[in-house]
Amino acid sequence: MFVLNFTTMQHLTNKEEEIMHILWKLKKAFVKEILAEITEEQPHYNTLSTIVRNLEEKGYVAHKAYGNTHQYYPIVQLEDYRKKFMSTAIDNYFNSSYKNMVSFFAEEEKISAKELREILAIIEKK
C-alpha cells in the first residue's frame, strides 16, 4: 500500500476534495454510494469512478475488492489533510502569518470579538 506523508500530499481538485469529504463521512463506500451523496451536479458514474481511482493513485484512498466491485476507504485522515490544507493556505494567502489570517477574518466580520477572546483563552492555557 502507498503510504502518504504530510510533505508528499498532492493537491486535490475541488471535485476530488468533495469526494474525499464524502468518504471521510461514510468511512467506506462503493462508487454508487458516493454518487448518492452528491447533491449538486452529479457526475456520470464512470466519471466518478475515474475520480475515485485518481484519488487512489494519489494515495488518498484504497479499496477492498468484491469481485469486480470495489469498496473505497480513505487512508489519509481528515485531520492530516486539514493541517496540510491550512498550512498551504496560510503560506499562500496570508504570507505565512496566522496574525494576517485572523485579521482577515476579523475585517471580513467572519469572527467575533467573543470568539477571538475564546481563542486567546485557548492559547493562554497552553
Side-chain angles (χ1 to χ4, degrees):
M1 176 171 71
F2 179 79
V3 178
L4 188 68
N5 68 40
F6 189 76
T7 58
T8 60
M9 267 189 218
Q10 292 185 41
H11 176 74
L12 296 181
T13 65
N14 290 340
K15 188 54 85 173
E16 288 172 337
E17 192 171 291
E18 178 185 357
I19 302 312
M20 283 305 302
H21 281 284
I22 291 169
L23 282 170
W24 284 318
K25 174 185 161 192
L26 297 177
K27 310 263 189 271
K28 57 185 176 181
F30 296 99
V31 172
K32 66 180 180 175
E33 294 170 324
I34 297 169
L35 190 60
E37 292 288 318
I38 299 173
T39 55
E40 295 178 15
E41 296 183 42
Q42 279 195 341
H44 186 274
Y45 179 94
N46 292 340
T47 302
L48 179 57
S49 181
T50 299
I51 293 168
V52 174
R53 284 193 311 273
N54 288 342
L55 285 167
E56 188 168 26
E57 287 177 21
K58 288 182 174 184
Y60 282 85
V61 302
H63 74 270
K64 182 174 182 181
Y66 295 93
N68 291 335
T69 305
H70 295 121
Q71 185 179 47
Y72 295 92
Y73 55 91
I75 56 176
V76 170
Q77 300 305 312
L78 174 59
E79 187 59 30
D80 293 333
Y81 184 75
R82 180 183 299 146
K83 286 176 186 175
K84 176 66 173 177
F85 177 84
M86 288 305 298
S87 178
T88 300
I90 290 165
D91 289 347
N92 291 340
Y93 298 104
F94 299 104
N95 237 8
S96 301
S97 168
Y98 288 88
K99 177 185 170 197
N100 288 348
M101 180 194 70
V102 172
S103 296
F104 169 80
F105 287 115
E107 290 169 9
E108 293 291 315
E109 298 179 2
K110 302 291 184 189
I111 191 168
S112 69
K114 179 181 181 234
E115 290 169 320
L116 285 171
R117 284 190 293 275
E118 290 170 1
I119 291 168
L120 191 55
I122 292 168
I123 292 169
E124 288 173 346
K125 282 182 183 176
K126 297 197 179 238

